[in-house]
Each structure stands twice: as C-alpha cells, then as structure tokens.
C-alpha cells in the first residue's frame, strides 16, 4: 500500500540568541523561573537582515539541494509572522530559490496551527497525484511586548519538509481529530508587530483543544493511546508539552511517561517559541536524538491560538536515520553568538516602515538575507 508523509526535514534558526539568564537578570526575575518553570534556556533573535522569509528560504534550500525541484508541484508557506498582507512569503522563497513557474505557491495562516494545515494539504495533494512532491515551509518569529509575560517565550525558527509518496522519514496516518473554538487567547492586530496574549486563557485554550482534538481523534477510529510510543506537542515553551502530556494522561487514564517526549524538547529549549514551526522542530529533535524509532508511532498535537487543535499520528519509517541531516542545525546552534540585553532591546525596538527606503546592515551568514526596503517593497538577496 502506498504511504504518504515526510520524506526530508530541515530546521533553521537565526544568527543571534539571547540567554534567558541574561533576560532574567535584567528583569529582576529568578532565572529558575525561565529554566525550570518554562523549560527554556535561550531564545533565537533575528538579526536586522533576517526574517521569516530568509529562515524559510534557507531551510527550503537545504532540502532541495538534496532532492531537486523536478517533481515539485506546490510550495506551501505557513506563518504567523508574514512579511506582507497580500503576497505570500512563499513567493519570495520561490524567487530566491529559482523554482520552476509550473507550481502552486501560497501562504497558510491560523496562528501556530498553520503549518499542520499546510502539511495535511500537502498529504492530500500527493495522495491525489502520487508522482508529485510538495515543499512545506513553516517559518515564524515569535515577538511579544518588551517586559510582558510572554517576553521569555519569544524565539524564531523555520522548518522545511518535503512531502511525498513512500516517504523516508515518517508516514502520516489518515486518522485525524479536530477541535476549533473562537477565543481571544492570543492574537496580533494588523497594525502591531507584537502579539497580544491572555496568558492564563491561552493555557486553558491549549489544553481544551488538546482534549477536544484527542476525543475527536479517538471517536473517528484513531489508535489507542497505548499504541503511541512518542508524543509531540506544540511547544510555546517546552514545559507546555509536559503540561499537555500530563493532561492527556489524566484524561485517558493511560500511564504516560516524561521519557515519551523528552528528546522532542532539546531544540525548542534553545530556540524559544517558533509558533507553527515548533512542533516540527520537536519532530526534528526527536528524530535527531533517538535511535531505534523504526516502526514507532508518534502522536502529534498541533495547536494554534484563536483556536484550532488537531491530533494525528505518524509512523517512523525503516532506515530513517540514513535520511537525517542533523549537522547544520546542531553546528548553527553551537555557533550562535549570545547578545547582550541592550542589544536585544535595540533589535526588538527596530521596526521598519514601508514608507522609507532603507538598507539593512549585513549581519547574517545564512545563504539569504533581507536587504531592506525599496519603493515600499521588501528586497531579498543571496548572501555574498
Ligand atoms: N523557580 C522555578 N519555577 C518557577 C519559579 C522559580 N523561581 N517561579 C515561577 N516558576 C514556575 C511557576 O510555578 C510556573 O510553573 P507551573 O505553571 O508549572 O506552575 C511557571 O514557572 C510560570 O510561572 P507563572 O505562571 O507565574 O508565569 P507568568 O505569569 O509570568 O506567565 C505564561 C507564564 C502565561 C506562560 C507567559 O509566559 C505567557 O504569557 N506566555 C505566552 C503565551 C503562551 O505561550 N501560552 C501558551 C499556550 S498558547 C499557545 O501555545 C500558542 C502560542 O504559541 C502562543
């Protein structure tokens, strides 16, 4: 039987990071609150010439360098931190990568859930045309107000996944559970570069959608919880995955363990929130850090405020380790310079207006950079 799912995955982040111990010192908070209470030690901070497009393009480049674009029929770009109200971030990626014109390019939005909507659309597309491939790019910069409750949960990352028939990494199974409820837990007005959040309500909405989507998954013939070996959760901060796991255990009566999600938290602890990318950063983390997952079933809980939850499962393919490329993200994470609190504040406060032409300073060493604004239009270029 033909299977459909994730054939390749790449995770990319920003040039800089802020140590949360430095943020805690500046804010007069016990560092243990961030490290233990939230489960975070660093957060990615974009350089002035980085954004959701540059990170997404780099992740996509790394995947396409291995597979080419001959069978690519769609590029689905998912983001909360889009760079234009009209033009898809995917169009910039399409241009930067010199992809063929004979393909569909678009952007998906529903807060942190959008990447899963794109993944499921990609699976549907390749199920209809099994010779085709779809590139899913999920890229986000999580940005809250300075000195707000959400500040220590900022971050940034992009994930690119090649979706096709007979995938090498993870077969996505057809059963899926949904839960949607209109709620003002987290949102970002059109005229704001920072998200607004009702912290307590957001935790409740996340957990309500977890139980709602799990119940729908179970009612529609999903696997018994005992058949799921590893659990991935949307990780706005990694402790949230622990809270979700505990809640799911109580709800189902299953004896769930911390080990079932531990390796999925490694990257997100030092990336911070990457909204839509975070659950797929968790997938990369799991696959990169665990041997012997062949045939193991993974549960995915994807959540996007506002709010949508989806529960689904995937099965790890035999030989998956031969198709993984952990080196770029691991060396990037090790090489990231830490910035000072003052540098972080200056970067946070820089907001460019489309009314003025500007050239950004050359900072990132990534393959693509945001060069500035000319005539109101964002300019991207290959890094020299
Ligand atoms: N040592 C160790 N732990 C400590 C501590 C210390 N000195 N001080 C506090 N803590 C613990 C607390 O006990 C708490 O842990 P538990 O929840 O397990 O009890 C944890 O640190 C956080 O403490 P508070 O609840 O007091 O923290 P807060 O009021 O500053 O806010 C938050 C926490 C609401 C999550 C806030 O960071 C926030 O608003 N974040 C953004 C919203 C968010 O991420 N919501 C998640 C669900 S919504 C979603 O998932 C979509 C999305 O991506 C945004």
């Amino acid at each position: 039987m033909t299977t459909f799912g994730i054939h390749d995955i790449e995770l990319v982040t920003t040039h800089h990071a802020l140590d949360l111990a430095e943020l805690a010192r500046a804010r007069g908070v016990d560092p243990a609150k961030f490290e233990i209470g939230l489960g975070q030690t660093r957060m990615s901070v974009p350089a002035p010439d980085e954004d959701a497009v540059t990170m997404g393009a780099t992740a996509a480049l790394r995947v396409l360098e291995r597979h080419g674009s001959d069978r690519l029929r769609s590029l689905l770009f998912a983001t909360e931190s889009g760079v234009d109200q009209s033009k898809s971030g995917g169009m910039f990626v399409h241009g930067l990568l010199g992809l063929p014109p004979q393909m569909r390019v678009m952007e998906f939005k529903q807060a942190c859930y959008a990447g899963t909507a794109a993944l499921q659309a990609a699976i549907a597309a390749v199920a209809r045309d099994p010779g085709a491939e779809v590139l899913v790019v999920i890229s986000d910069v999580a940005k809250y107000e300075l000195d707000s409750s959400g500040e220590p949960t900022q971050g940034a990352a992009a994930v690119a996944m090649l979706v096709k028939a007979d995938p090498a990494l993870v077969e996505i199974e057809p059963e899926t559970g949904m839960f949607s409820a209109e709620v003002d837990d987290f949102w970002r007005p059109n005229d704001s570069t920072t998200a607004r959040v009702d912290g307590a309500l957001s935790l409740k909405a996340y957990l309500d959608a977890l139980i709602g989507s799990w119940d729908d998954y179970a009612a529609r013939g999903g696997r018994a919880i005992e058949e799921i070996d590893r659990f991935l959760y949307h990780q706005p901060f990694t402790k949230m995955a622990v809270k979700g796991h505990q809640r799911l255990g109580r709800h189902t009566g299953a004896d769930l363990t911390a080990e079932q999600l531990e390796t999925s938290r490694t990257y997100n602890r030092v990336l911070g929130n990457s909204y839509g990318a975070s659950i797929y950063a968790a997938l990369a983390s799991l696959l990169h850090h665990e041997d012997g997952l062949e045939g193991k079933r993974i549960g995915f809980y994807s959540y996007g405020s506002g709010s949508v939850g989806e529960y689904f499962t995937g099965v790890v393919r035999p030989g998956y380790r031969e198709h993984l490329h952990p080196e770029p993200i691991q060396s990037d994470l090790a090489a990231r310079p830490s910035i000072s609190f003052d540098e972080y504040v200056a970067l946070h406060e820089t907001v460019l207006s489309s009314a003025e032409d500007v050239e950004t300073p050359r900072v990132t060493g990534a393959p693509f950079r945001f060069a500035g604004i000319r005539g109101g239009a964002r300019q991207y270029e290959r890094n020299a």
Side-chain angles (χ1 to χ4, degrees), residues 123-157:
I123 302 274
V126 297
R128 194 168 72 174
D129 179 4
E133 297 178 353
V134 176
L135 184 62
V136 173
V137 179
I138 313 166
S139 188
D140 267 314
V141 177
K143 192 171 176 188
Y144 294 93
E145 288 289 302
L146 290 172
D147 209 8
S148 65
S149 73
E151 185 181 40
T153 68
Q154 298 173 112

Side-chain angles (χ1 to χ4, degrees), residues 44-62:
S44 294
V45 180
D49 54 351
E50 291 177 319
D51 64 13
V53 166
T54 63
M55 289 190 297
T58 299
L61 175 72
R62 289 181 182 167

Side-chain angles (χ1 to χ4, degrees), residues 283-344:
L283 172 63
S285 188
L286 168 71
L287 297 176
H288 288 175
H289 293 102
E290 273 200 55
D291 290 331
L293 289 176
E294 288 89 352
K296 300 278 188 214
R297 179 166 287 108
I298 303 172
F300 292 74
Y301 171 55
S302 178
Y303 175 72
S305 291
S307 64
V308 179
E310 180 164 346
Y311 207 95
F312 62 101
T313 53
V315 178
V316 181
R317 304 285 295 164
Y320 72 100
R321 296 229 30 119
E322 291 152 36
H323 301 274
L324 290 172
H325 304 273
E327 196 280 325
I329 182 62
Q330 291 180 356
S331 56
D332 288 354
L333 288 174
R336 267 186 320 171
S338 291
I339 51 173
S340 68
F341 175 74
D342 290 344
E343 288 169 311
Y344 149 71

Side-chain angles (χ1 to χ4, degrees), residues 28-93:
V29 172
D30 180 353
K33 174 175 175 180
F34 298 161
E35 184 165 354
I36 298 163
L38 297 177
Q40 295 301 130
T41 57
R42 299 183 94 194
M43 66 190 200
S44 294
V45 180
D49 54 351
E50 291 177 319
D51 64 13
V53 166
T54 63
M55 289 190 297
T58 299
L61 175 72
R62 289 181 182 167
V63 167
L64 293 185
E65 276 177 345
R66 291 193 282 271
H67 305 280
S69 56
D70 291 353
R71 288 178 294 274
L72 210 56
R73 291 293 286 157
S74 298
L75 191 176
L76 306 182
F77 190 88
T79 190
E80 185 274 352
S81 20
V83 299
D84 191 280
Q85 297 278 26
S86 172
K87 183 173 173 180
S88 159
M91 281 319 314
F92 293 107
V93 174

